[in-house]
Structures are given as structure tokens and as C-alpha cells.
């Protein structure tokens, strides 16, 4: 793959504290140049550990990490440091130098490489313009809002023209509106500067709104990986279903069904492709009452994904007919069991 | 009265000389030791348990020797270093011996307070350990270090007065010679007042500097 930028092979990380704690187990993954790649999972799944292995902030217990085809395992400390300069990183807690002004924070990476002072200041100012903080260069982090702090952190991470930007829960400390602004900024950076972006998050909405591909991590392993629109349309793994249909699971637990012989089904459809009035067609063709328990549409990477949970009478013929019809119009149709999966 | 004024002025000048010189030399020794302690500790940026423990034990030994005893114990060293065991200059070595380890511990704890996230951010940008020490740890810890300066200089001032016992010059020397041996209570009283004022002024100045340079949310 020559358009790959990051790859890990059989990556395992074990923390040895009082007990052995396997944070990552046999992870294989590659990330394409120019993509926005999401890594999602529940707390403690190993997401932060994975992203810290990408730039060797954590050394893998075993397995290999490649950046642009070069293996980090074979490098000495100073070579690793020069690789890190090509990968920016931002964090949930922003991690700005509290005692330094905004401008000084953005100048920090330039100081590390002993860059010429005058051109550094010029570049830092341009970066602050890019993130929309030109008027704040003299301010100190303690006087900024969370969103502004993250913008400074982004400007700082972009200082040395990195090829990759690693984001570890970059929006988790922000409110929804600020989150969207930061995500828009990341999208812009990806588009305009061509920086590959790796987003670690536990929020499905973040993956949904900006990632093209996603890896779902569960209990130190990759449960599933692929294009966001495919995975959102039909998640294969238990954890994937839980993360994506999480809301539907709640709807299930409401236990709306009055007649216990009824069965519940999930319909997942691509809003751009399905042009027919699917639900009315089902009702008219089969002369069957449908109880809609849950319905939701999301826009993922340009595609409109809809899902619906409906309740049908327990009648094999009707269900088979509906199944056949829905296959024709390429709508996913699957039974929902009582535990929500 | 004129001679008395001269007496106080000379004593103040000697005391300030002792305090300034001892503080500077103590920091030249104590600051790097404190950095080494913080950096090599278990939660430091480059854990080195053996170095950390050996250094820690040496520092603790010096810290537990009472100053008056140290004053006498280091007499040979003093003689060797400054050529005399009396007068203001002779007080500097024992003051340094007792202040430097104290400073090392204070610097260590100031540095340990720097947020680990900031260190990690610097590392993710490719900073070396040395760059992290100079550009992150020491700069982020500046306000705390300044509080440390306020505490050490005033402590050194107090100890320097004690050095009067061995004819070390300065305000303590005056207090003992006039107040204790000659029963001139007024002189003793005035020297004590001057000492109290000096301690207050020095301490408040450094604390004000610390507040001034601290950019964290108040
Ligand atoms: N420095 C460490 N020492 C020991 N164990 C660790 C360390 N860092 C992480 N772990 C453990 O490794 C596992 C994975 O942690 P990690 O931080 O990668 O999870 P995460 O998916 O990022 O979770 P979160 O969403 O809460 O940030 C956890 O069980 C955690 O306790
Ligand atoms: Mg994490």
C-alpha cells in the first residue's frame, strides 16, 4: 500500500502493575494518507494506548508500528523524536503551557527544532489565523474557553507541518456546539492542508460527523474496522451494534409491545437510494398493521443512514414477504432479539 | 550614637552579603540536584531508581543535621575553602551545606507539580528530555520555585544570625556580642527588630514576584 501512512502489525501492549493488564492485544490496522480515521470504543478499551503507540509515547510490548513504511521499532531515540515532529497530537485536556502566552505556546515546537525566531513568529501568527485566534496571541490559557484552548493546541500541533494529527478525545471536554466547531476545523485542516487525522473518541456522533473510516475497539481488540457508511448501515460486531443502535436498544427496553406474539425488526436504509415509500408499501401489500417503535436518520460522510425498529405480528408468511420486498429495495431487515441486538 | 548607627549599617551589610552569597551558591548546587531528584523519580520523565535513592539518602542526611552542629562539623572544609573560620565569609560554607539540600527538596516538589499532560504534549512534539527540563519543567514551575526562594532566603537569614555564635559577623554577631555578653539589651532589641523587618521584606517581595508571574487562574 503506498497510500498508507500509519500501520500497526500484531500490536500488543501489556502494562505490568500489580497484575498484568492487557491494554491492546494483537491489533492490525492501517490508515490511509489523507483520511479521517476514527477509533471508537468504551472507556478502558485501549484507544489512548493505541494512539500513544502510533508515535511511540508508549512502546509496544510486541508488534510493529510503521509510519510511511518506516518501522519505529528499529529506530533510536533521536530518530523517534524526528518522526514525532511529523505527527501532531492534541488531547482531551489541551495540555497547554499554563505559564506561557498563546503565541509562546504555538512557538514551542519551533523552539524545539531551534528554528529562526522571526520566521517562527510569522508562521505561528499564520497558524493562529487559521484556527481563528489572531486576536488572542497575548492571552494566557487560563483566560481562554475550552474551545479556544483546543484551537491553540491545534495550532501548536500543526506548527511543524505534520503529516498526521492524532486527536485523543479532543472534543470530550467540550459542549456540543463547541465540539462541532472543532470538528469543522479538523475537517478544514484535512481538506486544505491534506493532513491525515486520527480521531479517538467514545462519542459515536463524532465518528458520524467527520470520519470516513472507523475501527471499533472492544476489550483490547479490534471488533470491526471499515468505512463508516458501511459499518453504520450494518454493524457486524456486538459492540458495533451497541454503539450504533444504542438509542434503539433503549427504545426496545421500553417494551412497548402489547401482544406478546408480536416480533420486532430493524430496518436500515440508505436515504439517498431508497426512493420508494417503503413503509406504506409494506402496509398496503401485506395488509398488515405496523407499529413503529423507533426511527432515526443520521448523515454519515454524505450518506443518509436511516434506521427504524418496527413491530409486526408473528406471521411467517407476512414476514417472509416483507423480507423479500425489502431485499429488492436493498433495505437491511433483521429481527431484533429481546436484549436489543 | 553615630558609632551605633555605623555598627548597625555594617551588620546589615554583612548579613545581606552572607544571605545573598549563600543563597546564590546554594541554588547553584541545590537547583540541579532538585531537578535530578524530580527527573529520576518513579513518576519523573526519566526514572532512575538507583540514582534517585542514593541522592535522596545523602540529601536527607545533610537535612537532618542541626545547623549548629553542621557549623562546627564543616569547620575544616570552611578553612580549606575560604582560608578562615571566622568572619562573614566563613559562615557561607556551613549555610550552603545546610541550605542546598533543603533547596533540592523544594525544587523537586515544585517540579513534580507540573502537569504530566503538558510533559506528554512536549514529548509528542519531539522534545528531548533536556528540552523538557528547560522549556517545560522549569518554566511551568517558575511561580512555585519563586515561593521556594522566599522560604529559603528567609531561612538562610535566620541561620546566618545563629552564626554569630561563632563570630560570623552580621546582625546575629552584634546581638550576641552587645546584647548577651555586654548586657546592652537595647542593641539586642534593635538587631532583632531589624532581622524581623528584613525577613518580612524579603519574603513578601519574593511572594509578590511569584504572584505576579503566575499566569494560572487565580
Ligand atoms: N500507564 C498505565 N499503566 C497501567 N495501566 C494502564 C496505563 N495506561 C492505561 N492502562 C490500562 O490500559 C487499559 C486501556 O487504557 P486506555 O487509556 O488505552 O483506554 P481508553 O480506551 O483510552 O479509555 P478512555 O476512554 O477512558 O480514555 C485500561 O485498562 C487502563 O487501566
Ligand atoms: Mg483514553
Amino acid at each position: 500500500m503506498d497510500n498508507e501512512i500509519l500501520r500497526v502489525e500484531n500490536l500488543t501492549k501489556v502494562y505490568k502493575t500489580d497484575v498484568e493488564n492487557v491494554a491492546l492485544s494483537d491489533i492490525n490496522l492501517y490508515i490511509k494518507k489523507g483520511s479521517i480515521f476514527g477509533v471508537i470504543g468504551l472507556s478502558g478499551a485501549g484507544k489512548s494506548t493505541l494512539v500513544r503507540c502510533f508515535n511511540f509515547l508508549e512502546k509496544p510490548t510486541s508488534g510493529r508500528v510503521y509510519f510511511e513504511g518506516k518501522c519505529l521499532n528499529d529506530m533510536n531515540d533521536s530518530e523517534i523524536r524526528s518522526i514525532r515532529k511529523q505527527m501532531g497530537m492534541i488531547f482531551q485536556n489541551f495540555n497547554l503551557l499554563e505559564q506561557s502566552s498563546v503565541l509562546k505556546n504555538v512557538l514551542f515546537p519551533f523552539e524545539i527544532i531551534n528554528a529562526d525566531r522571526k520566521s517562527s513568529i510569522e508562521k505561528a501568527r499564520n497558524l493562529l489565523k487559521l484556527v481563528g485566534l489572531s486576536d488572542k496571541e497575548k492571552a494566557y490559557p487560563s483566560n481562554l474557553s475550552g474551545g479556544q484552548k483546543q484551537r491553540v493546541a491545534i495550532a501548536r500541533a500543526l506548527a511543524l507541518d505534520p503529516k498526521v494529527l492524532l486527536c485523543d478525545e479532543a472534543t470530550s471536554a467540550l459542549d456540543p456546539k463547541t465540539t462541532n466547531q472543532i470538528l469543522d476545523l479538523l475537517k478544514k485542516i484535512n481538506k486544505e492542508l491534506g493532513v491525515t487525522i486520527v480521531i479517538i473518541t467514545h462519542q459515536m456522533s463524532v465518528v458520524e460527523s467527520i470520519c470516513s473510516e472507523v475501527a471499533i475497539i472492544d476489550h483490547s481488540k479490534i471488533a470491526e474496522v471499515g468505512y463508516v457508511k458501511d459499518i453504520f448501515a450494518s454493524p457486524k460486531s456486538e459492540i458495533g451494534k451497541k454503539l450504533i443502535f444504542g438509542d434503539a436498544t433503549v427504545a426496545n427496553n421500553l417494551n412497548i409491545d402489547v401482544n406478546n406474539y408480536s416480533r420486532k425488526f430493524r430496518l436500515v436504509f440508505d436515504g439517498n437510494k431508497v426512493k420508494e415509500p417503503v413503509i406504506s408499501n409494506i402496509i398496503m401489500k401485506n395488509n398488515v398493521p405496523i407499529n413503529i417503535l423507533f426511527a432515526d436518520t443520521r448523515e454519515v460522510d454524505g450518506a443518509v443512514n436511516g434506521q427504524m425498529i418496527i413491530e409486526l405480528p408473528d406471521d411467517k408468511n407476512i414476514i417472509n414477504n416483507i423480507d423479500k420486498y425489502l431485499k429488492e429495495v436493498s433495505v437491511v431487515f433483521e429481527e431484533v432479539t429481546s436484549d436489543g441486538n | 550614637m553615630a558609632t551605633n548607627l555605623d555598627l548597625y549599617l555594617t551588620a546589615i551589610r554583612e548579613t545581606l552579603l552572607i544571605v545573598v552569597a549563600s543563597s546564590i551558591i546554594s541554588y547553584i548546587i541545590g537547583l540541579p540536584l532538585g531537578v535530578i531528584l524530580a527527573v529520576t523519580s518513579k513518576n519523573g520523565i526519566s526514572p532512575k531508581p538507583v540514582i534517585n535513592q542514593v541522592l535522596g539518602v545523602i540529601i536527607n542526611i545533610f537535612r537532618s543535621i542541626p545547623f549548629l552542629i553542621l557549623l562546627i562539623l564543616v569547620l575544616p572544609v570552611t578553612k580549606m575553602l575560604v582560608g578562615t573560620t571566622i568572619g562573614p565569609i566563613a559562615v557561607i560554607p556551613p549555610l550552603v551545606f545546610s541550605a542546598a539540600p533543603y533547596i533540592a527538596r523544594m525544587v523537586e516538589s515544585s517540579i513534580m507539580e507540573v502537569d504530566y499532560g503538558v510533559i506528554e504534549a512536549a514529548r509528542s512534539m519531539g522534545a528531548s528530555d533536556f528540552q523538557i527540563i528547560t522549556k517545560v519543567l522549569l518554566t511551568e514551575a517558575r511561580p512555585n520555585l519563586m515561593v521556594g526562594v522566599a522560604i529559603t532566603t528567609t531561612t538562610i537569614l535566620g541561620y546566618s544570625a545563629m552564626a554569630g555564635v561563632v563570630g560570623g559577623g552580621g546582625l546575629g554577631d552584634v546581638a550576641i556580642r552587645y546584647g548577651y555578653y555586654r548586657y546592652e539589651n537595647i542593641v539586642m532589641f534593635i538587631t532583632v527588630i531589624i532581622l524581623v523587618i528584613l525577613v518580612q521584606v524579603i519574603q513578601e517581595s519574593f511572594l509578590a514576584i511569584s504572584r505576579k508571574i503566575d499566569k494560572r487562574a487565580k
Side-chain angles (χ1 to χ4, degrees):
Chain A
M1 279 279 168
D2 27 272
N3 70 341
E4 81 166 34
I5 188 147
L6 273 170
R7 181 156 49 101
V8 298
E9 277 176 4
N10 310 109
L11 184 72
T12 295
K13 176 75 191 184
V14 181
Y15 287 109
K16 288 195 185 66
T17 43
D18 300 336
V19 284
E20 288 212 339
N21 188 351
V22 181
L24 293 173
S25 146
D26 200 25
I27 304 274
N28 287 285
L29 198 65
Y30 80 87
I31 295 174
K32 286 193 207 122
K33 210 169 260 176
S35 62
I36 302 187
F37 193 99
V39 177
I40 189 165
L42 302 175
S43 185
K47 308 181 293 292
S48 297
T49 308
L50 176 63
V51 76
R52 276 167 178 70
C53 285
F54 284 156
N55 60 3
F56 257 51
L57 282 180
E58 291 290 354
K59 279 210 170 73
T61 309
S62 66
R64 302 178 83 76
V65 179
Y66 297 87
F67 174 74
E68 294 191 311
K70 289 164 287 194
C71 183
L72 272 67
N73 299 60
D74 303 332
M75 296 182 183
N76 62 31
D77 285 354
S78 92
E79 286 168 323
I80 297 242
R81 284 200 296 275
S82 78
I83 290 288
R84 284 182 187 149
K85 285 164 190 159
Q86 301 175 55
M87 289 194 246
M89 189 167 187
I90 58 173
F91 308 83
Q92 177 171 0
N93 301 322
F94 323 121
N95 295 344
L96 298 176
L97 295 156
E98 294 285 319
Q99 304 293 352
S100 300
S101 68
V102 165
L103 183 66
K104 201 110 204 295
N105 265 283
V106 183
L107 283 173
F108 186 84
F110 296 110
E111 284 176 18
I112 285 174
I113 60 163
N114 286 317
D116 167 64
R117 189 80 184 160
K118 231 176 112 194
S119 66
S120 305
I121 292 178
E122 198 183 309
K123 269 195 183 167
R125 291 208 166 111
N126 283 337
L127 285 162
L128 285 173
K129 200 152 111 198
L130 175 78
V131 301
L133 282 180
S134 289
D135 52 333
K136 294 282 183 200
E137 67 166 65
K138 290 201 179 68
Y140 284 85
S142 61
N143 298 322
L144 299 179
S145 69
Q148 289 172 329
K149 283 185 203 175
Q150 198 59 289
R151 284 167 190 275
V152 177
I154 290 171
R156 183 175 69 174
L158 293 177
L160 304 181
D161 301 317
K163 292 170 181 161
V164 181
L165 182 60
L166 305 171
C167 314
D168 189 0
E169 305 271 6
T171 58
S172 300
L174 306 174
D175 63 49
K177 191 170 155 240
T178 317
T179 295
N180 285 333
Q181 291 168 348
I182 295 292
L183 293 180
D184 284 344
L185 176 61
L186 292 177
K187 244 187 240 176
K188 177 171 135 186
I189 287 162
N190 173 257
K191 264 225 177 69
E192 291 177 11
L193 309 178
V195 176
T196 307
I197 296 185
V198 180
I199 298 219
I200 305 289
T201 182
H202 62 265
Q203 295 167 296
M204 211 63 214
S205 57
V206 170
V207 172
E208 205 175 314
S209 65
I210 107 165
C211 299
S212 50
E213 283 144 274
V214 65
I216 303 179
I217 298 208
D218 186 31
H219 291 103
S220 329
K221 288 197 168 73
I222 291 194
E224 134 169 54
V225 56
Y227 287 104
V228 173
K229 38 179 185 271
D230 296 341
I231 290 188
F232 266 70
S234 59
K236 303 275 181 305
S237 62
E238 288 301 306
I239 181 74
K241 287 179 186 172
K242 200 163 153 189
L243 285 166
I244 292 161
F245 300 133
D247 313 308
T249 312
V250 176
N252 273 340
N253 294 341
L254 294 175
N255 248 340
I256 302 170
D257 63 315
V258 259
N259 24 351
N260 11 352
Y261 54 84
S262 72
R263 290 162 68 181
K264 285 177 245 167
F265 293 87
R266 175 183 291 124
L267 275 63
V268 185
F269 52 90
D270 180 340
N272 289 334
K273 283 196 201 125
V274 180
K275 297 293 178 212
E276 300 179 37
V278 174
I279 298 295
S280 4
N281 284 354
I282 295 176
I283 297 173
M284 293 200 286
K285 275 185 190 165
N286 300 288
N287 194 18
V288 61
I290 287 181
N291 188 12
I292 298 175
L293 297 178
F294 174 84
D296 182 28
T297 50
R298 314 171 184 233
E299 210 188 312
V300 179
D301 203 18
V304 181
N305 261 310
Q307 66 151 321
M308 196 179 269
I309 296 194
I310 59 172
E311 201 173 20
L312 295 169
D314 188 10
D315 181 323
K316 242 192 200 134
N317 275 335
I318 294 179
I319 290 169
N320 280 345
N321 280 343
I322 295 177
D323 188 30
K324 221 168 92 196
Y325 165 65
L326 289 176
K327 276 217 176 78
E328 279 167 29
V329 294
S330 54
V331 170
V332 177
F333 181 65
E334 56 182 18
E335 182 148 14
V336 184
T337 49
S338 55
D339 65 357
N341 299 315
Chain B
M1 211 52 207
T3 50
N4 258 4
L5 189 64
D6 275 349
L7 178 77
Y8 296 125
L9 286 178
T10 313
I12 290 174
R13 214 178 324 114
E14 278 176 1
T15 293
L16 288 180
L17 169 85
I18 294 168
V19 171
V20 171
S22 318
S23 298
I24 290 173
I25 299 169
S26 301
Y27 262 95
I28 290 172
I29 298 166
L31 187 73
L33 289 179
V35 170
I36 293 171
L37 279 175
V39 166
T40 59
S41 83
K42 202 167 94 241
N43 303 315
I45 61 168
S46 174
K48 303 252 179 334
V50 176
I51 296 181
N52 188 270
Q53 271 165 28
V54 170
L55 191 59
V57 167
I58 296 172
I59 281 172
N60 284 349
I61 290 173
F62 274 97
R63 286 206 330 138
S64 47
I65 303 173
F67 179 64
L68 267 180
I69 303 199
L70 196 70
L71 201 59
I72 295 153
L73 274 183
V74 300
L75 275 178
V77 183
T78 305
K79 176 96 184 157
M80 198 183 78
L81 285 175
V82 296
T84 171
T85 56
I86 47 166
I89 302 295
V91 184
I92 294 173
L95 280 174
V96 169
F97 269 100
S98 83
Y102 188 69
I103 289 170
R105 284 298 183 193
M106 211 128 48
V107 168
E108 177 193 17
S109 83
S110 298
I111 288 179
M112 296 300 276
E113 261 178 55
V114 175
D115 179 20
Y116 191 75
V118 186
I119 298 167
E120 188 158 61
R123 201 167 262 159
S124 78
M125 288 177 249
S128 65
D129 284 353
F130 185 74
Q131 286 173 320
I132 290 175
I133 292 169
T134 55
K135 292 180 197 296
V136 180
L137 297 181
L138 290 175
T139 43
E140 284 291 285
R142 249 169 354 201
N144 282 348
L145 290 172
M146 210 40 88
V147 172
V149 174
I151 299 172
T152 28
T153 46
T154 47
T155 306
I156 288 177
L157 182 63
Y159 281 6
S160 80
M162 228 188 285
V165 176
V166 294
L171 289 161
D173 199 20
V174 171
I176 285 178
R177 270 192 288 134
Y178 291 78
Y180 188 66
Y181 295 130
R182 296 200 211 161
Y183 306 105
E184 287 185 37
N185 285 335
I186 290 284
V187 179
M188 178 131 99
F189 187 68
I190 292 174
T191 33
V192 170
I193 297 273
I194 295 174
L195 277 170
V196 169
I197 292 172
L198 279 180
V199 166
Q200 285 301 320
V201 169
I202 293 174
Q203 176 161 308
E204 288 312 312
S205 316
F206 281 115
L207 290 182
I209 294 172
S210 168
R211 278 191 299 271
K212 180 106 205 324
I213 61 171
D214 195 351
K215 303 298 181 191
R216 288 172 297 190
K218 308 249 150 67

